[in-house]
Amino acid sequence: VSADNLSTLDEKTLADLHACDQDPNGGGSHLVKDLIVIFHRVTPERLARLQHALATADFKAVSRVAHAMKSSCATLGAFRMQALCVELEKAGAEGDLPRVTALMSGMQAEYAALSLLLQSFAERLHEEAVAGGE
Amino acid sequence: MAIEVFDKFKHVLVVEDDPFWRRMIGRNIERTAHDCKAVFAESVDEALDVIEADGKIHLIIADQYLEGERTGYELWRNCRERGIRTPFLLTSGLADFDTGQDTGMAPRFIPKAFVNAELRGAMFELMHMDSRDESLAHLVDEWLHEDEQRFGLPFMFIALSLLVLAICLASTSRLGGEIIAPPPDSLLPSTINVQNEQPGSPRPAALSAGLVLQERRPAPTWEEKIASHVRHDLEAKSFSALVRSQARLKLLQEGEL
């Protein structure tokens, strides 16, 4: 599936994950919020590693970092970013420099958009938790 | 709600270098049983240090691709070589990497993009192994080490025969009942329904002998377990698991189970 046809953030995936983590005996869930915080912490670092790997033509590192990113993107419902990671992992494995360069540019822009949506979702979760008295 | 069967398992070693997945798996462990504790390691070497220092690890969940050159699969092999037979769950973002699945010498695997129910289900299955399963697994591993190649295609025919035998054994113990399979993600054990038994029909020999049959039992019999295992093994085409089922049947026939 082309990344162009996928959404930046599928909120249903996040909402389902949040619902799965609800404690049936009461109490709130911080899993999704924690995962978003971790994602925001590690992704810029990984994008920097990708840039360094591209600058040094280390395609093995490009593949490895893209591979590490894709599963967390899928879990958060960031399906366009996940698709870009899949394509980048493949391009890296094939040593396709023009493709890697183009995908890297797309990933930077995609992360900027995704980051805003995730932040917005986390804020709504927080507001709901406050309103629910958690 | 915590599942009581997990309560005897205290420490789950999570070998993962990605903080995102450490949090995700750690949370699932917390949710699986209230007194399960996650212990974390980021590399194979660190995991081996933890295993040697902490003799109470009851389950290992390891990512395939870790920082450094050594993989989760190598950790599993290393544990086996050291005689450590702790249940092992391997995860990865790649669903088709080669871990030796073709030889059957591989740990249980689930892909990394698992949802919570998949992870908890796999944990349940691995932790549900009792000492008899472990001793059989040990026996089978020894067989495989002795001569991995002695079984070939004919083994599939043996396995099919075992399946038929297991189904026969299961059917004789069901007293005309019907096995109701649990839903795929359910953690509940299989149940048995005797609604097919008609009033006035001849009572089965087991009832005449004084055995008490409850309308619904919480756990399947050993025969049913074996039939279920063999069916699962055939579907999964797992070589070592098939051998394990063969061992189960052998011991069952010898009255050791």
Side-chain angles (χ1 to χ4, degrees), chain B residues 139-194:
Chain B
L139 175 67
V140 169
D141 286 341
E142 284 184 351
W143 289 354
L144 290 171
H145 279 297
E146 282 172 10
D147 186 359
E148 290 181 25
Q149 303 301 318
R150 64 179 162 155
F151 298 109
L153 280 176
F155 186 77
M156 287 304 292
F157 292 102
I158 297 171
L160 285 170
S161 305
L162 292 173
L163 175 63
V164 173
L165 177 59
I167 290 170
C168 289
L169 283 168
S171 63
T172 56
S173 69
R174 280 191 289 118
L175 305 173
E178 175 187 2
I179 298 175
I180 300 173
D185 289 333
S186 170
L187 297 183
L188 295 171
S190 299
T191 56
I192 296 169
N193 190 342
V194 293

Side-chain angles (χ1 to χ4, degrees), chain A residues 38-121:
Chain A
I38 293 169
F39 187 78
H40 277 144
R41 193 176 74 226
V42 301
T43 305
E45 178 194 321
R46 284 174 169 165
L47 289 173
R49 281 166 62 192
L50 279 173
Q51 286 289 3
H52 179 71
L54 177 61
T56 56
D58 185 351
F59 293 111
K60 192 177 173 185
V62 168
S63 264
R64 193 167 58 238
V65 176
H67 170 81
M69 291 174 70
K70 69 181 182 185
S71 55
S72 51
C73 289
T75 301
L76 292 179
F79 294 132
R80 188 181 291 171
M81 186 89 167
Q82 180 207 9
L84 289 170
C85 290
V86 171
E87 289 183 40
L88 187 59
E89 184 180 5
K90 185 169 177 284
E94 293 169 353
D96 186 343
L97 180 60
R99 185 82 183 126
V100 168
T101 306
L103 287 166
M104 280 292 301
S105 172
M107 282 186 75
Q108 294 281 6
E110 182 61 21
Y111 177 65
L114 174 63
S115 181
L116 292 174
L117 293 174
L118 284 172
Q119 186 62 35
S120 169
F121 189 90

Side-chain angles (χ1 to χ4, degrees), chain B residues 95-151:
Chain B
D96 57 352
F97 67 91
D98 179 17
T99 62
Q101 300 275 352
D102 54 334
T103 63
M105 296 294 287
R108 173 71 186 271
F109 168 77
I110 59 173
K112 196 80 168 280
F114 47 72
V115 296
N116 289 355
E118 283 176 299
L119 176 60
R120 291 180 199 180
M123 286 174 62
F124 176 87
E125 191 177 312
L126 288 169
M127 287 176 157
H128 205 58
M129 290 175 70
D130 62 20
S131 59
R132 281 177 294 192
D133 288 300
E134 287 168 13
S135 63
L136 284 172
H138 180 70
L139 175 67
V140 169
D141 286 341
E142 284 184 351
W143 289 354
L144 290 171
H145 279 297
E146 282 172 10
D147 186 359
E148 290 181 25
Q149 303 301 318
R150 64 179 162 155
F151 298 109

Side-chain angles (χ1 to χ4, degrees), chain A residues 17 20-24 28 31 34-35 38 41-42 46 49 67-68 70-72 75-76 89, chain B residues 1 17-21 23-24 27-28 31 65-67 69 92-94 112-114 116 120:
Chain A
L17 185 60
C20 277
D21 195 54
Q22 292 296 317
D23 187 346
L31 178 63
D34 290 354
L35 292 177
I38 293 169
R41 193 176 74 226
V42 301
R46 284 174 169 165
R49 281 166 62 192
H67 170 81
K70 69 181 182 185
S71 55
S72 51
T75 301
L76 292 179
E89 184 180 5
Chain B
M1 187 178 72
D17 58 359
D18 185 335
F20 183 95
W21 286 100
R23 180 73 183 103
M24 183 76 159
R27 183 61 171 168
N28 271 277
R31 278 280 186 257
Y65 296 106
L66 298 159
E67 286 294 332
E69 295 299 316
S92 172
L94 283 179
K112 196 80 168 280
F114 47 72
N116 289 355
R120 291 180 199 180

